[in-house]
Each structure stands twice: as C-alpha cells, then as structure tokens.
Amino acid sequence: MEKMGNHWPCITCPIRNNRFCRSLLGASSQSDLTPRPRWQEFHRFPAGTTIISQDGSSDRIYVLCDGWAFRHLKLGTGRRQILNFLLSGDLFTSISVFYDKMHFSADALSDVRVSTFQRAAVMARLSNDSHLLSAARQICVDETLYAERLLSTLGQGTAEQRIAFLFLRIAEQLSRDNVITNHRYYFPLRLEHIADAVGLTTVHVSRVISSLRKRKVIDISQTHLTFLDPAMVERLASL
Amino acid sequence: MEKMGNHWPCITCPIRNNRFCRSLLGASSQSDLTPRPRWQEFHRFPAGTTIISQDGSSDRIYVLCDGWAFRHLKLGTGRRQILNFLLSGDLFTSISVFYDKMHFSADALSDVRVSTFQRAAVMARLSNDSHLLSAARQICVDETLYAERLLSTLGQGTAEQRIAFLFLRIAEQLSRDNVITNHRYYFPLRLEHIADAVGLTTVHVSRVISSLRKRKVIDISQTHLTFLDPAMVERLASL
DNA sequence: CGGCAGTTTGATGTTACTCAATTTAAGTGG
DNA sequence: CCACTTAAATTGAGTAACATCAAACTGCCG
C-alpha cells in the first residue's frame, strides 16, 4: 500500500457522488482545493493486491475513489465467496462506520485509489450532523435490501438468473456515475470473479454466457459488456 | 390479528432477553408490573398466519415475544426464500428501526405473541440513549455478519453443509435462552421450511437428513432435533 | 516466434430436481 | 379402541443442472 500526501490531486476523485462522503466532507464546499481534513487519508493499491485482509481490525473507514475492487469471504477449503463489487464512491461496508472488526477481505481488481477516514472522527460527526446520520442509515438499508435479494437469487435462481442478476447489479452501480452508453459497460471481471460471486464454476459460467451470447441477450468482448436485450436481462434477474 | 390490552399478563414475555428491548423499556425496572408505555402494543397471531406482508409499510417496529416465526421474500414464480427464523426476543429486522417499508413477509410458524413499538417514539429515544443506540448498532452488525455467512454457505456449500449451517444457527439462537438439554432442541420446522431456507427441495432435504441420521450425526423425531455428533455438525456448517 | 493467462469445448461424473407412489403420523368421529 | 381422513415424510426411478477433468484454442506480450 502506498500512502499519499494531502496534496494528492483529487480533482477527479468521485467520492462526492456518495451522499455519505459529501456530508462528511462538507456539503457546501464542492471545490477540490479545500485542504483535506487530518482524519482523511488517501492510498493507492495496484491491481491484484489486497486492500483489507480478513479477520484483522482497523480504526478507519474505507471508501473507494477510483477503479474496481471486491469484497469477499475466504472459506476453509480455499474457496471464496465474493460478497459484492466496489466501484468509485462506494463505502466498503456500512457496518465499518461503527464496527472495527474486518470480517472480510477486499482485493483491488484494477489499480485503485482509496480514501480512508478515522472512525472516531466520523462517529463524532455522526452525532451532530443529521444529514450524515441519515446518509449512513440509507447505505445500511440499501446494503441489507441488496443482500437479501442476492440471497434469494443464490437460493432460488438458476445459473442464468444468477449471472443476469450480477450483471444488472453492476450496470445499476455504474449508472450512478452516468458511464452508460447504449447499454454498454466497461467490465473488467474475469470468469473467476463471476463464478465466485454467484456460486458456480468458471467452466459453467463460460457456457451460460456463450448461450446468452448466441441468443443475443448480452455480449462480452474486449473488457466491455453489452446488454443486447436489456428487457430480457431484467426478466432473468428478477426471477 | 388480535390486539390485546395493556394489562396482558407479560410475566413470561422474554423480550427483555434482547438488549435493545431492555434498553428501550428501561434497564432498571425488571418488574413486569410496570405499566406498558403508550407506544408499545401486544398482538397475538395463530400458527400459519401472516404477521407482515411484503411491500407494505408500517410505522411500527416488531419484536417476537413468544413462539416461532420466519421472515421470507416471495418471488415471482410462487417460490420463496426464507431469510431467517425468529425466536423469542428477536427484532424482526434491524432496518425497521429507521425504515418504514416492509420489503419482506413474516409468517407465524406456531401461535405467537408479538410486541410492536412506534418507530417515532423509538427513534426519539435513540438520540438520547447511548445504550439503546449501541444495542441497535450491535443488532445491525450481527445481522450483516450472519447474512454474509449465509450467503457464502448458499453460494459455496453442499446440501449437507447448508442444512448443518441452518441447524447450528437455530441451535445458537435457542441457546441464548438456555433451552438446551443434551444438544436436544425443540424444532417445529417442516421439511418445506428447511428447503425454502437453504434453497433445496423437500425431497432432497429428506434424503440428506436421513443420511445424517444413519451416520448418527443428528436425529429428528417428534418435533425435537438432537445433535448426536455436535462436532461433526460444526465441521459441516463451517465449510 | 514462443509462452503464458484466460477462455472455450468435449466427455464424463455427481448432485440435486421432478414426478409419482408408498409409508408414517396425527387427528377425528363413531 | 378402531376405522377413516388428511398432512407430512420417505422412497424409487428417471432427468436436468452443474461440476470435474483434460485438452484445445485465443489473445497478448516478451
């Protein structure tokens, strides 16, 4: 992990897309020339490295500034379950706002920039700032709603439905930042990531995707995912 | 739903086992002769009835006093995913503390008694009572940790592991109230509930359970579940 | 032009689902 | 106490979904 000074050029840092971070850093000052508070730090992680490793603890709250990452649980057998993918502006997990145990691992999928905040400083602000509090609650609610929908999908869905669900979820995350053009998304996931996220093998994911490709539902080529039939993707994803 | 007056005999009502409810109702007065606050109500639901139905909203927070219930999502195809089972003292879901949409259904498995609290009254107390706040946070953390472990089990576990995980979870819930004798638990779930909770069919659940029975790992007879080999159950459940 | 990492394809094995029949358990009414 | 009813659990046979293993293929980079 490479730590960066407070004068790191943050012009493009999109964590202000996140209502929580916007409240935290002061809603009024949209200027990126404002000096960083002492309780905020920036870090950089190369693709493939570990940002947070399971079963540690930290007095800091992590937010992804830039790039792709994912959160996962390592299981005894060497397997892992990917819990979710993190995109720019995402808080790693809402419970980190008031809980110091890191029960999960987080890996960088691409080169990433991460912003961290001292938990104590954030908690102090939480009690005084009702906007910040409400933003934190909203993230917590959204995470729970998503977790329970994902649970239902893994419990009740076919391979095709699970994969469609994942793709749609990522599309929705990306659409927050308006990076959509013609239902075409930048998509750096390898089969391995899809497989570990939806509980299948890479081989089977490959087959399902080529079936979807043949049926003109989606297409994946050169790091981009295209929804050829967005309505069908939604139908599959909604069980 | 049958509403009950404030003089309902609550001597045995175990919601004080829950730190959240204890803080809410006043930690000092353990006596059940204390009059109920106006923002608390009691209700009774017969076995098999619906307590909360999906996609409604409510200005009340639900806590199970007595009996067994479960929370689930209804899916388009007539299938359902059971999210968790509720035992005496359980808050239905932590997000209901500050969120009024009911995205789930809740059904009574046995005859149950339920206590509800006005959300507004609870939220007012939350801002003043740091114990209550910390109890709410703890419930939220525990729910998230459990949801992510369950997710991993459904994603990566075999049928046997999923079932062991569920049984162990319920055993842990029951052990809060010290209702354990020799690894033997009251267990009113039918195959259908187990199946809907772990994403299998009743037929297959039956086969797996009879295999576990033959191997002397567990036994289910006349509404009681016995762990004949608790260590094996734990090994299976931990993936 | 190799060589590696990732993907695709084929053949085969295993797990879990479906459908249908049978057994068990728990009432109910005589 | 015993026939009768009904709901749930079990069992068997056949099938579909997904996993595993191994080989071949692709794109990319030195």
Side-chain angles (χ1 to χ4, degrees):
Chain A
M1 167 173 89
E2 177 194 338
K3 183 170 165 180
M4 294 179 287
N6 278 352
H7 296 298
W8 172 57
C10 192
I11 313 281
T12 58
C13 178
I15 67 174
R16 285 172 193 277
N17 291 342
N18 175 324
R19 192 159 74 92
F20 179 78
C21 292
R22 213 163 49 231
S23 296
L24 194 57
L25 297 169
S28 56
S29 81
Q30 283 292 344
S31 159
D32 280 301
L33 300 174
T34 326
R36 305 277 148 247
R38 269 178 300 109
W39 38 272
Q40 180 180 21
E41 277 179 7
F42 294 101
H43 299 283
R44 197 183 277 278
F45 296 86
T49 57
T50 298
I51 303 171
I52 292 174
S53 69
Q54 194 162 332
D55 296 329
S57 70
S58 167
D59 63 342
R60 305 207 133 250
I61 298 169
Y62 285 70
V63 176
L64 194 68
C65 293
D66 193 53
W68 288 59
F70 63 94
R71 222 159 55 80
H72 65 280
L73 294 189
K74 289 189 206 304
L75 309 177
T77 54
R79 305 170 74 109
R80 69 177 176 192
Q81 172 71 39
I82 293 183
L83 301 168
N84 60 352
F85 293 96
L86 302 164
L87 272 58
S88 2
D90 281 333
L91 190 63
F92 278 38
T93 171
S94 65
I95 66 173
S96 70
V97 173
F98 41 79
Y99 186 62
D100 65 336
K101 294 283 186 306
M102 297 288 146
H103 66 289
F104 58 87
S105 295
D107 283 17
L109 203 56
S110 63
D111 290 353
V112 299
R113 294 183 294 180
V114 167
S115 178
T116 69
F117 303 94
Q118 250 180 32
R119 179 174 303 103
V122 173
M123 285 189 76
R125 273 162 188 77
L126 266 179
S127 9
N128 300 326
D129 182 343
S130 68
H131 289 298
L132 186 61
L133 189 61
S134 122
R137 282 171 178 166
Q138 189 60 51
I139 292 178
C140 189
V141 168
D142 290 345
E143 278 185 11
T144 302
L145 295 183
Y146 173 68
E148 297 191 341
R149 283 201 307 143
L150 177 56
L151 202 68
S152 305
T153 304
L154 293 199
Q156 311 293 327
T158 63
E160 208 168 67
Q161 293 172 321
R162 298 184 201 192
I163 291 172
F165 182 84
L166 175 66
F167 287 177
L168 192 59
R169 159 71 178 188
I170 290 175
E172 286 167 358
Q173 268 177 286
L174 287 167
S175 70
R176 270 186 333 208
D177 297 330
N178 300 317
V179 281
I180 318 179
T181 325
N182 283 333
H183 297 292
R184 190 153 181 280
Y185 316 90
Y186 174 66
F187 191 80
L189 306 196
R190 288 188 290 100
L191 290 182
E192 190 195 340
H193 300 117
I194 302 172
D196 288 344
V198 299
L200 299 167
T201 57
T202 57
V203 175
H204 199 238
V205 170
S206 169
R207 286 189 227 277
V208 171
I209 288 182
S210 50
S211 157
L212 289 172
R213 209 195 319 261
K214 278 198 197 82
R215 286 151 52 202
K216 312 265 188 228
V217 179
I218 60 155
D219 188 65
I220 300 185
S221 56
Q222 56 210 10
T223 70
H224 278 264
L225 166 63
T226 311
F227 286 1
L228 302 173
D229 185 348
M232 175 62 86
V233 175
E234 280 193 54
R235 269 194 33 227
L236 288 174
S238 64
L239 304 195
Chain B
M1 167 172 91
E2 177 195 340
K3 184 170 165 183
M4 295 179 286
N6 277 352
H7 296 302
W8 173 57
C10 192
I11 313 282
T12 59
C13 178
I15 67 175
R16 285 173 191 279
N17 290 343
N18 174 324
R19 192 160 72 92
F20 179 78
C21 292
R22 212 162 50 231
S23 295
L24 193 57
L25 297 169
S28 56
S29 82
Q30 285 292 346
S31 160
D32 280 300
L33 300 174
T34 326
R36 304 277 148 246
R38 269 178 300 108
W39 39 271
Q40 180 180 21
E41 276 179 6
F42 294 101
H43 299 281
R44 196 184 277 277
F45 295 86
T49 57
T50 298
I51 303 171
I52 293 176
S53 70
Q54 194 161 330
D55 296 329
S57 70
S58 167
D59 63 340
R60 304 206 134 252
I61 298 170
Y62 285 70
V63 176
L64 193 68
C65 294
D66 192 54
W68 289 60
F70 63 94
R71 224 160 53 81
H72 64 281
L73 294 189
K74 289 187 206 305
L75 309 177
T77 54
R79 304 170 73 109
R80 69 178 177 189
Q81 173 70 39
I82 293 182
L83 302 168
N84 60 353
F85 293 95
L86 302 164
L87 272 57
S88 2
D90 281 332
L91 190 62
F92 277 38
T93 171
S94 67
I95 67 174
S96 71
V97 173
F98 40 80
Y99 186 63
D100 66 335
K101 294 282 185 307
M102 297 287 145
H103 66 287
F104 58 88
S105 295
D107 285 16
L109 202 58
S110 63
D111 291 353
V112 299
R113 293 182 295 181
V114 167
S115 177
T116 69
F117 303 94
Q118 250 181 31
R119 180 174 303 103
V122 173
M123 285 187 76
R125 274 164 186 76
L126 267 179
S127 7
N128 300 326
D129 182 343
S130 69
H131 289 298
L132 186 60
L133 189 62
S134 121
R137 283 170 176 165
Q138 189 59 52
I139 292 178
C140 189
V141 168
D142 290 344
E143 278 185 11
T144 302
L145 296 182
Y146 173 67
E148 298 191 341
R149 283 201 306 143
L150 178 55
L151 202 68
S152 305
T153 304
L154 293 199
Q156 311 293 329
T158 63
E160 207 168 66
Q161 292 170 322
R162 298 184 200 192
I163 291 172
F165 181 82
L166 175 66
F167 287 177
L168 193 58
R169 160 69 177 188
I170 290 175
E172 284 165 1
Q173 268 178 287
L174 286 167
S175 70
R176 273 186 330 210
D177 296 330
N178 299 317
V179 281
I180 318 177
T181 324
N182 281 333
H183 298 291
R184 190 153 181 278
Y185 316 90
Y186 175 64
F187 190 79
L189 307 197
R190 287 190 289 102
L191 290 183
E192 190 195 340
H193 301 116
I194 302 172
D196 287 345
V198 299
L200 299 167
T201 57
T202 56
V203 176
H204 199 237
V205 170
S206 169
R207 285 190 227 277
V208 171
I209 289 181
S210 50
S211 157
L212 289 172
R213 210 196 317 261
K214 278 198 198 81
R215 285 151 51 202
K216 310 263 188 233
V217 179
I218 61 155
D219 188 65
I220 300 186
S221 55
Q222 54 208 12
T223 70
H224 279 263
L225 165 63
T226 311
F227 286 0
L228 302 172
D229 186 347
M232 175 61 86
V233 174
E234 281 192 53
R235 270 194 32 227
L236 288 173
S238 64
L239 303 194

